[in-house]
Amino acid sequence: MDSFQEFFLSFQPSQNGFVFMWVLTGVALLAVAVTIERWWDIGRRTNVNAPAFMANLLRLVRENRLQDAYALCASGKRRALPRILGAGIKKSSISPALIRTAMEEESLHMIPVLEKRLNTLVTCGNLATLLGLMGTIYGLILSFAAVAQPDISPVEKTSMLATGISAAMNTTLMGLIIAVPCVLSFSFFRSRVDDTVAEIDRYAVTLLKVLVPQKAVQRSYKVSARRMKEEVETEPNMVPFMNLMVVLIPLLLSSSEFVKLGMVEIKLPESAQSSGGAGGGEDEQKKEAKLELGVVITKKGFSLFHHFKEDGESGERDTTAAEIPVTGGEYDYAALTRELAKVKKKALVEILGSVGVENTGSMSLAELYLQFTRIEDGELPTLKDHQMIKIVADEKTKYQTVIAVMDAARGVRTSRGKVTMFPDVSIAGGVI
């Protein structure tokens, strides 16, 4: 259902490629109009009970009632078979030698009328396909331009690219929805016209044998033989090759971009020298309180460790370990997010309390985070690693599991919006 909603929303001006969708709609309306017109016109020109009509016509011709035979053909009005045979009967009273020529001339007029605007259906189908592919290329260009912007996380880039490609493919879908009925309609009308022409050729030969019995009529003779032939293309047709390239190019670009975005951004932990400064030494390192947060991934589940350290204290003021076992053979990422949210809340209480914010103990995580965002980076006195998490993976831990843990640690949604928790990750262990 979401796919259908996205397809119909692509007609809105706010969507990329909406112009192509409306142009394709115009092509679709043209194809529908041509189809209805051809259905009506070909139907009225071929609506003849040929065996019964031919039996009555031959009976009148054998009885030498040519005027009545011509009147029978004239009663067919715009129908192809009566008009072509009627032209031959009309000339038979003037000169039998002109019968064949008269029917051939009438077929030169009638058969193109039957075939009129059939090529328009093919053109609409090809045009719809090409416009759909053009819209897709345009949408892909906009999508790649969007993900090329700096300061966007890989997950957001992947989401933006997937959404952009999905929207861009709507034009191709629209083009194919138009092209397929156009091809089917052309094939149907082409077959009906060919059947009518074959029927005219068969009955024209039968009438000639009755009107001019003294002249031999070849079995292979066709009154439609003088119809306008389609021009033979002497140059190679490059359209299928171009269509293939137009499809392959965005496919290869999309694949390469997804491979690129599949890389994990990892922020390595700072060394003691870089974090403490060149002249600080060990004394300055001891003055910094750190939240050393870590998650160990094992076959049994997650083990969560964190503690706060302060200078001047020989021991740890608070040490907590949480075990999150595997449930039903699956890792419980939701429980991991909840435990990490508790750690984040405790860290924010520690940070806000160090800068003089009161009543932090009664605040929710969202309220603490809002207060924290008002602190300038240079004013952060403690827990400067409050956004860092170390992920230690057991041997042969799957890559998807590590990515899921990273997603669970990156942030949490609350009633007041999303709270960023631990986006900076360092990884160790046997990831496969």
Side-chain angles (χ1 to χ4, degrees), residues 127-191:
L127 184 61
T129 303
L130 294 177
L131 285 174
L133 292 174
M134 185 184 299
T136 297
I137 296 298
Y138 176 75
L140 290 175
I141 291 174
L142 296 181
S143 299
F144 291 138
V147 300
Q149 297 178 3
D151 301 329
I152 299 179
S153 66
V155 176
E156 292 177 350
K157 287 184 178 181
T158 305
S159 177
M160 292 171 60
L161 184 60
T163 303
I165 292 176
S166 177
M169 290 300 176
N170 288 329
T171 57
T172 299
L173 176 61
M174 181 69 173
L176 294 177
I177 290 174
I178 298 170
V180 171
C182 286
V183 173
L184 293 177
S185 298
F186 172 80
S187 300
F188 173 77
F189 292 136
R190 178 80 269 171
S191 177

Side-chain angles (χ1 to χ4, degrees), residues 191-265:
S191 177
R192 187 157 183 185
V193 170
D194 290 342
D195 292 342
T196 301
V197 172
E199 189 178 67
I200 291 172
D201 290 334
R202 182 171 68 254
Y203 289 124
V205 172
T206 302
L207 181 62
L208 277 174
K209 290 180 179 180
V210 175
L211 291 175
V212 194
Q214 66 274 16
K215 291 186 177 181
V217 181
Q218 298 179 358
R219 290 184 177 181
S220 60
Y221 170 73
K222 296 179 180 180
V223 296
S224 63
R226 293 176 59 185
R227 63 191 286 195
M228 296 179 64
K229 302 289 185 180
E230 295 181 357
E231 296 182 1
V232 179
E233 296 184 0
T234 57
E235 297 181 358
N237 185 8
M238 300 296 293
V239 174
F241 175 76
M242 293 302 297
N243 289 343
L244 178 62
M245 293 303 297
V246 168
V247 173
L248 284 180
I249 289 174
L251 179 62
L252 293 176
L253 288 175
S254 302
S255 301
S256 62
E257 189 66 18
F258 275 116
V259 171
K260 177 182 177 182
L261 297 181
M263 297 186 297
V264 181
E265 290 187 355

Side-chain angles (χ1 to χ4, degrees), residues 400-420:
Q400 291 84 352
T401 303
V402 178
I403 296 300
V405 172
M406 293 173 60
D407 291 338
R410 184 173 288 109
V412 62
R413 293 191 177 276
T414 66
S415 59
R416 296 192 177 184
K418 186 176 181 180
V419 173
T420 302

Side-chain angles (χ1 to χ4, degrees), residues 295-298 391-398 402 427-431:
V295 176
V296 179
I297 306 174
T298 64
I391 299 178
V392 181
D394 197 0
E395 186 177 0
K396 295 184 179 180
T397 300
K398 292 185 178 180
V402 178
I427 299 178
V431 181

Side-chain angles (χ1 to χ4, degrees), residues 17-122:
F18 79 97
V19 174
F20 293 94
M21 298 297 288
W22 284 107
V23 172
L24 287 169
T25 302
V27 174
L29 294 176
L30 175 61
V32 170
V34 172
T35 301
I36 294 175
E37 188 273 337
R38 286 292 82 202
W39 178 280
W40 176 75
D41 190 66
I42 293 176
R44 67 171 181 166
R45 294 183 185 276
T46 59
N47 186 20
V48 179
N49 187 355
F53 169 78
M54 199 62 192
N56 292 332
L57 184 64
L58 293 178
R59 178 176 57 80
L60 294 175
V61 171
R62 289 191 179 99
E63 294 175 359
N64 202 23
R65 297 164 56 184
L66 297 181
Q67 292 294 334
D68 294 338
Y70 180 75
L72 177 63
C73 292
S75 65
K77 297 181 180 179
R78 297 186 178 184
R79 294 174 176 84
L81 180 61
R83 287 193 61 171
I84 293 175
L85 298 183
I89 294 174
K90 184 177 181 180
K91 290 294 184 180
S92 64
S93 59
I94 301 174
S95 173
L98 299 177
I99 296 176
R100 177 182 297 185
T101 303
M103 288 193 293
E104 289 176 352
E105 290 178 352
E106 187 63 27
S107 68
L108 286 176
H109 167 73
M110 185 55 60
I111 295 176
V113 171
L114 294 174
E115 296 175 338
K116 184 170 58 176
R117 283 187 286 275
L118 289 184
N119 287 334
T120 304
L121 290 175
V122 178

